[in-house]
Amino acid sequence: IVQNSEDIYLSDINVYKTGAMALIAEKSTNISLDSFNTALQEGSDRMLSSSADATHFINCSGLIRMENCKFESMLDDATNVHGTYMYITDILAGNKFGASFGHYQQEGFDFGNVGDSIVFVDRTNLMTLGKGKIKTIDKVNENYYIITSDIDVSKYDNPENIAIDNISHYANVHINNCSVKYNRARSLLISTSGNVLIENCYFASMMAGIRICGDANYWFESGAVKNVTIKNNTFDNLGIGGHSPQAILQIDPVIPKAERGKGFYHGKIVFENNKINTFDNQVIYALSVDSLVIRNNVFSYSKKYAPIFTDLSVIDVQYCNHLTIRDNDFNNWMPNATISILKCNNIDNDGNNNIRIVENPNKYFYQN
């Protein structure tokens, strides 16, 4: 456990078995992992290394760096980098309010300090209502804070439907030359407004490869991304587990269908020069991104398993602002593939082996 610390460097560490997460870090600055491995010991007859995430970072800042790491045989993700939404429970004065955590596992978390910047978010559609600073903060108990800010929250309609996010504690992330395989869940969960670079990695998880989410009603894991680049990686036959479609790149902020189109939750995401070798139909699912670039990727149909969701498009983009899908190689992809684009603006689509553009939004995600 790393908590309220800075300049942490962990190198040449092997975690063979743990009953929980192998590493969890909260409210810490500058954490580097070099050859930090969560995997079975050679010759072991065990099936699991970690019964939860290999690594997990909550409201950290500075730079989170992972290089040359191996994450295998976990029951959950290789990493999850995110913030924490609280929600307003009651208005005590115009700029003074009570707030609680939305998920019981967050209770007791140190949400913030005087002077931290916070944003107020509509829990229905995840759109930002306003920004301010914490003037006073009183931790009454493990699940109730009294916070005073420089924003009059009583001016908003239905203040009890507002989440708050501490944006003073978000990290930049650099993940390079790491591998993830044999784990039940996803490879990487990324929800941070810092600069993110994921490169030269190998992913072969049983669910999504890289998930970029955000929700203020169940897990309450915050962090609309601003600048993410995913390049020069290999994605190999992901999505063999799970009861719903798992895209290789899954950008799925939890915004109900009726609330979409009122803004864009995520900022810029670039997916380029990656190699995708997989068996199922959908590779990319993206919702509510201001700028999405998908270019110079090679898509190959592995035929290793029978496709599960045969009626989905290889790329499914919904309610995005600036969209570029250019110069991707589908020569070895499935026949009769389509790209689905729904209610997007400013579209640049060229050099994709003449794959048809349709409206075929993924109907299996619950919010669709």
Side-chain angles (χ1 to χ4, degrees):
I1 298 174
V2 177
Q3 192 170 25
N4 298 317
S5 301
E6 62 182 21
D7 300 328
I8 302 298
Y9 180 72
L10 302 174
S11 177
D12 298 302
I13 294 173
N14 295 309
V15 179
Y16 297 126
K17 58 181 179 179
T18 174
M21 296 178 183
L23 170 68
I24 183 168
E26 295 182 357
K27 296 289 287 293
S28 296
T29 303
N30 297 329
I31 303 172
S32 292
L33 309 182
D34 191 345
S35 299
F36 180 96
N37 306 312
T38 301
L40 300 179
Q41 191 169 15
E42 187 174 351
S44 172
D45 59 358
R46 293 175 55 84
M47 295 182 65
L48 301 178
S49 59
S50 171
S51 64
D53 296 341
T55 64
H56 200 110
F57 303 88
I58 307 165
N59 281 107
C60 291
S61 56
L63 174 64
I64 296 172
R65 184 182 67 90
M66 300 185 209
E67 288 194 289
N68 311 312
C69 297
K70 180 172 66 175
F71 303 115
E72 298 179 1
S73 304
M74 305 87 66
L75 275 179
D76 220 320
D77 314 307
T79 197
N80 189 351
V81 182
H82 67 89
T84 305
Y85 283 127
M86 296 190 80
Y87 70 94
I88 294 177
T89 57
D90 50 329
I91 304 298
L92 305 176
N95 64 340
K96 186 177 183 181
F97 54 88
S100 294
F101 294 104
H103 197 280
Y104 72 95
Q105 291 177 331
Q106 297 168 337
E107 293 181 11
F109 179 67
D110 179 15
F111 178 77
N113 303 300
V114 172
D116 284 353
S117 296
I118 54 176
V119 295
F120 298 87
V121 174
D122 187 330
R123 290 175 60 193
T124 303
N125 54 35
L126 299 183
M127 294 299 106
T128 297
L129 298 170
K131 297 182 180 180
K133 289 186 178 293
I134 296 176
K135 297 178 65 177
T136 66
I137 183 166
D138 178 20
K139 183 178 180 181
V140 178
N141 58 47
E142 296 284 282
N143 197 32
Y144 186 72
Y145 282 69
I146 295 176
I147 299 173
T148 304
S149 77
D150 54 359
I151 298 292
D152 182 359
V153 295
S154 65
K155 68 182 180 181
Y156 299 123
D157 294 335
N158 193 13
E160 286 75 18
N161 197 46
I162 294 174
I164 56 172
D165 186 15
N166 187 335
I167 58 174
S168 289
H169 298 275
Y170 274 125
N172 300 316
V173 177
H174 185 197
I175 301 174
N176 177 44
N177 194 37
C178 296
S179 68
V180 185
K181 58 184 178 180
Y182 308 140
N183 66 309
R184 179 201 62 86
R186 290 68 51 111
S187 292
L188 311 178
L189 273 67
I190 302 295
S191 297
T192 176
S193 58
N195 294 319
V196 177
L197 175 59
I198 301 165
E199 60 180 346
N200 308 315
C201 295
Y202 175 84
F203 301 114
S205 297
M206 295 180 185
M207 294 171 68
I210 297 173
R211 187 183 185 196
I212 300 173
C213 190
D215 89 275
N217 289 284
Y218 183 69
W219 285 107
F220 286 81
E221 292 184 354
S222 63
V225 303
K226 290 185 177 178
N227 185 24
V228 176
T229 299
I230 303 162
K231 67 177 185 179
N232 301 326
N233 302 286
T234 297
F235 297 87
D236 191 13
N237 287 301
L238 293 95
I240 62 174
H243 66 279
S244 59
Q246 297 288 317
I248 304 300
L249 172 61
Q250 187 166 311
I251 307 165
D252 60 341
V254 184
I255 304 172
K257 187 175 181 179
E259 295 292 327
R260 296 174 185 177
K262 298 181 179 180
F264 305 98
Y265 182 68
H266 290 302
K268 183 176 183 180
I269 300 172
V270 177
F271 187 81
E272 63 182 355
N273 300 322
N274 299 288
K275 295 180 180 178
I276 302 100
N277 181 50
T278 194
F279 66 97
D280 213 354
N281 286 50
Q282 189 148 103
V283 173
I284 296 173
Y285 174 91
L287 169 67
S288 194
V289 183
D290 181 60
S291 177
L292 177 63
V293 178
I294 303 166
R295 66 185 171 213
N296 296 321
N297 301 286
V298 178
F299 294 75
S300 298
Y301 178 31
S302 71
K303 302 181 182 179
K304 185 170 184 179
Y305 309 101
I308 302 172
F309 298 96
T310 57
D311 54 345
L312 298 183
S313 298
V314 58
I315 297 173
D316 181 351
V317 184
Q318 305 177 27
Y319 294 90
C320 292
N321 193 13
H322 300 275
L323 172 63
T324 298
I325 306 176
R326 173 174 284 276
D327 301 323
N328 297 286
D329 184 351
F330 290 96
N331 284 315
N332 295 315
W333 188 244
M334 302 178 184
N336 303 316
T338 60
I339 294 173
S340 176
I341 300 176
L342 177 67
K343 296 188 182 300
C344 294
N345 311 314
N346 309 303
I347 300 169
D348 176 10
N349 177 69
D350 192 23
N352 299 300
N353 301 95
N354 298 315
I355 292 185
R356 286 189 304 122
I357 305 299
V358 299
E359 287 190 6
N360 179 36
N362 189 318
K363 62 187 178 183
Y364 299 101
F365 281 127
Y366 79 93
Q367 63 265 43
N368 287 337

